[in-house]
Amino acid sequence: MLELITSKLEDAANWGRKFSLFSYPFVTACCGMEFMSVSAPKYDIARFGAEFPRFSPRQSDLLMIVGTITEKQGPALRRVYEQMTEPKWVIAFGVCASTGGFYQNYHAMPGADQVVPVDVYIPGCPPRPEQVLDALILLQDRVQRRDGHSQLRLKREKITLAAANAED
């Protein structure tokens, strides 16, 4: 009975999380213009509950990696990710954030997933605002279903802890 009640409470919390994403924009390159376009009134990302960009990782649960990540920026990106609140989600915005793009050289990282786990990739150079909104809707579905990277990690930690307690 208690498990049923906590399961329903978690579903309600995830429904609320889905419509109240606080994003941290990690903008490094030209895709930043498209990010601003998505936030502008024409596309209005506020309709989907991701209106307020937070410029402190401690107040955000959605990391939007917008643009190319260099080898020197990798540790800073990892630090930002680690400071975010749990559960947290990551969107790689554009081909450079997803795969390194056309920068096939020593300084560009071949994708943000080399440093942090990415939940949704948005293709394109730069991606259209409609693609960004589609990615946000896809992420909201994952938040509702509880299958984001950080949520799966938390489940694994609970199972491991329960198994350790059962052995004792």
Side-chain angles (χ1 to χ4, degrees):
M1 182 67 178
L2 181 62
E3 186 173 316
L4 177 68
I5 291 171
T6 56
S7 173
K8 295 293 180 188
L9 282 174
E10 199 170 327
D11 287 344
N14 283 335
W15 182 84
R17 283 184 184 129
K18 159 180 169 176
F19 294 113
S20 61
L21 294 168
F22 291 90
S23 64
Y24 181 91
F26 194 86
V27 180
T28 59
C30 49
C31 283
M33 299 299 142
E34 293 300 322
F35 177 76
M36 287 188 274
S37 170
V38 170
S39 300
K42 184 174 181 182
Y43 295 101
D44 196 15
I45 200 168
R47 295 178 292 151
F48 301 95
E51 180 176 12
F52 297 112
R54 298 293 178 190
F55 296 103
S56 168
R58 292 180 180 90
Q59 298 173 347
S60 60
D61 55 3
L62 169 62
L63 177 61
M64 294 187 86
I65 304 168
V66 183
T68 309
I69 304 298
T70 63
E71 292 290 336
K72 283 189 173 182
Q73 291 170 332
L77 177 63
R78 181 69 189 177
R79 192 172 322 117
V80 165
Y81 177 78
E82 289 172 351
Q83 290 177 350
M84 291 172 57
T85 60
E86 289 282 350
K88 49 192 163 189
W89 299 276
V90 177
I91 291 179
F93 192 113
V95 70
C96 291
S98 300
T99 65
F102 53 89
Y103 298 108
Q104 300 293 326
N105 55 26
Y106 68 94
H107 84 287
M109 196 166 280
D113 58 357
Q114 302 290 314
V115 182
V116 297
V118 175
D119 292 302
V120 178
Y121 296 92
I122 303 174
C125 180
R128 297 269 316 143
E130 294 87 356
Q131 290 175 290
V132 177
L133 295 178
D134 287 345
L136 185 64
I137 292 169
L138 178 65
L139 182 69
Q140 287 177 325
D141 289 343
R142 289 186 176 180
V143 169
Q144 181 74 43
R145 290 191 322 248
R146 292 178 272 172
D147 65 352
H149 281 291
S150 66
Q151 290 171 318
L152 293 176
R153 187 182 40 143
L154 290 174
K155 281 182 189 175
R156 279 194 301 264
E157 289 172 0
K158 281 182 186 176
I159 291 171
T160 304
L161 186 63
N165 288 340
E167 289 178 8
D168 291 339

